[in-house]
């Protein structure tokens, strides 16, 4: 049997994809058509919305900041909307650096992105804890997203897959798929040099690694972080596996 297509062909979003198929605990694959990740959904066409309905998507979890979500708001018929605001910091901090008279370099941009990811681990833990609460409350097909579906969404996807027992190298491969799929909107961030934009609008292993190393250094690994910080204890992890992994054969 052919596996379902991972990347779904939407006109109004370029980074919409399924987390299914990856081998988790005990070699059990993540169920297809349960958890999707995406860039923002405000540009979906009627055909896109019809595909979402066909997929049975019942919940949208929006990690965008308040101004971002207000500027590109959306409502999808039959889809419950859950805003979990994580305010963007990279552009603001890049502008602060530029105001000091510094010409931003690609290296500056990488450092800014790594700091942002480290910030996810502590500053935004309540939002990621709520993501897991929603996933545990129901296994109705769910999409989570931010603006580009790469950073806030990328860290969230990594946490979900790691909690389901998917190996780190496979999680990283999924994370890096953004570079193949995502299309930057024209005119976005044109005030910065292209070498900087090429960093800010893509993903690199060093970004996700910065967050995962922070988890290891500050909490002693993913397990204590899941349990002590995100509230996903052993029973919750078993429930996640039951809901989102294929049954053992």
């Amino acid at each position: 049997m052919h596996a379902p297509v991972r990347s779904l062909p939407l006109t109004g979003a370029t980074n919409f994809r399924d987390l299914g198929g990856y081998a988790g605990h005990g070699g059990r694959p993540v169920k297809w058509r349960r958890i999707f990740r995406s860039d923002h959904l405000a540009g979906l066409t009627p055909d896109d919305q019809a595909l979402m309905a066909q997929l049975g998507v019942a919940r949208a979890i929006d990690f965008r900041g308040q101004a971002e979500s207000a500027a590109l708001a959306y409502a999808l018929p039959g889809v419950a909307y859950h805003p979990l605001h994580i305010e963007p910091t990279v552009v603001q901090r890049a502008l602060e650096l530029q105001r000091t008279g510094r010409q931003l370099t690609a290296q500056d941009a990488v450092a800014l992105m790594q700091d942002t990811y480290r910030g996810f681990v502590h500053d935004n833990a309540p939002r990621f804890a709520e993501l897991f609460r929603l996933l545990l409350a129901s296994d109705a097909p769910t999409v989570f997203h931010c603006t580009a579906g790469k950073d806030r969404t990328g860290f969230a996807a990594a946490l979900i897959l790691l909690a389901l027992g998917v190996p780190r190298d496979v999680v990283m491969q999924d994370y890096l798929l953004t570079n193949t799929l995502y299309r930057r909107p024209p005119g976005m961030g044109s005030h910065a040099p292209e070498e900087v934009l090429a960093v800010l609008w893509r993903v690199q292993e060093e970004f996700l690694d910065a967050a995962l190393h922070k988890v290891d250094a500050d909490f002693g690994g993913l397990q204590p972080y899941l349990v002590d910080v995100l509230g996903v204890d052993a029973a919750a992890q078993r429930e996640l596996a039951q809901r989102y992994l294929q049954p053992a054969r």
Side-chain angles (χ1 to χ4, degrees):
M1 284 177 60
H2 292 295
V5 177
R6 181 169 307 286
S7 171
L8 290 139
L10 300 179
T11 302
T14 63
N15 202 10
F16 188 100
R17 61 193 199 258
D18 195 322
L19 289 186
Y22 297 121
H25 293 301
R28 295 160 61 194
V30 179
K31 289 179 181 176
W32 288 98
R33 302 308 188 238
R34 286 290 193 285
I35 310 175
F36 303 92
R37 53 174 292 178
S38 185
D39 46 344
H40 77 79
L41 305 176
L44 295 189
T45 66
D47 283 349
D48 293 339
Q49 293 189 30
L51 178 57
M52 296 274 277
Q54 191 182 325
L55 292 168
V57 173
R59 296 182 295 189
I61 298 169
D62 186 353
F63 288 121
R64 293 177 298 170
Q66 291 184 326
E68 289 173 284
S69 52
L72 289 168
Y74 68 88
L76 299 174
V79 178
Y81 179 72
H82 299 275
L84 301 181
H85 297 302
I86 297 176
E87 297 301 332
T89 58
V90 172
V91 173
Q92 178 189 342
R93 292 178 61 205
L95 290 171
E96 285 168 6
L97 275 177
Q98 285 183 316
R99 277 197 288 270
T100 66
R102 272 188 64 179
Q103 180 65 37
L104 217 58
T105 66
Q107 287 82 0
D108 292 329
V110 169
L112 284 173
M113 293 301 292
Q114 288 179 304
D115 283 347
T116 294
Y117 275 70
R118 292 184 192 106
F120 293 156
V121 174
H122 285 276
D123 305 344
N124 298 294
R127 263 67 71 195
F128 297 116
E130 181 62 22
L131 167 69
F132 278 104
R133 278 194 287 273
L134 288 165
L135 292 175
L136 285 161
S138 159
D139 60 0
T142 298
V143 58
F144 59 94
H145 71 89
C146 50
T147 292
K150 69 184 193 72
D151 301 316
R152 292 163 285 192
T153 296
F155 184 59
L159 288 176
I160 292 167
L161 292 174
L162 290 167
L164 290 170
V166 177
R168 273 199 193 195
D169 61 330
V170 177
V171 171
M172 185 63 78
Q173 288 169 26
D174 178 78
Y175 170 75
L176 293 173
L177 276 178
T178 283
N179 291 336
T180 305
L181 299 171
Y182 180 63
R183 297 289 170 264
R184 185 170 107 205
M188 287 294 278
S190 52
H191 58 273
E194 182 54 38
E195 68 160 13
V196 171
L197 294 176
V199 173
L200 299 181
W201 286 99
R202 289 171 65 79
V203 292
Q204 296 182 20
E205 287 191 36
E206 296 95 318
F207 304 168
L208 182 56
D209 275 344
L212 297 178
H213 289 157
K214 187 79 173 161
V215 167
D216 292 341
D218 291 7
F219 301 100
L222 181 78
Q223 272 304 315
Y225 183 69
L226 285 171
V227 174
D228 300 335
V229 181
L230 301 186
V232 186
D233 61 15
Q237 288 179 51
R238 285 194 297 273
E239 177 68 21
L240 269 180
Q242 186 178 336
R243 287 184 182 274
Y244 296 106
L245 295 180
Q246 298 284 0
R249 296 192 174 188

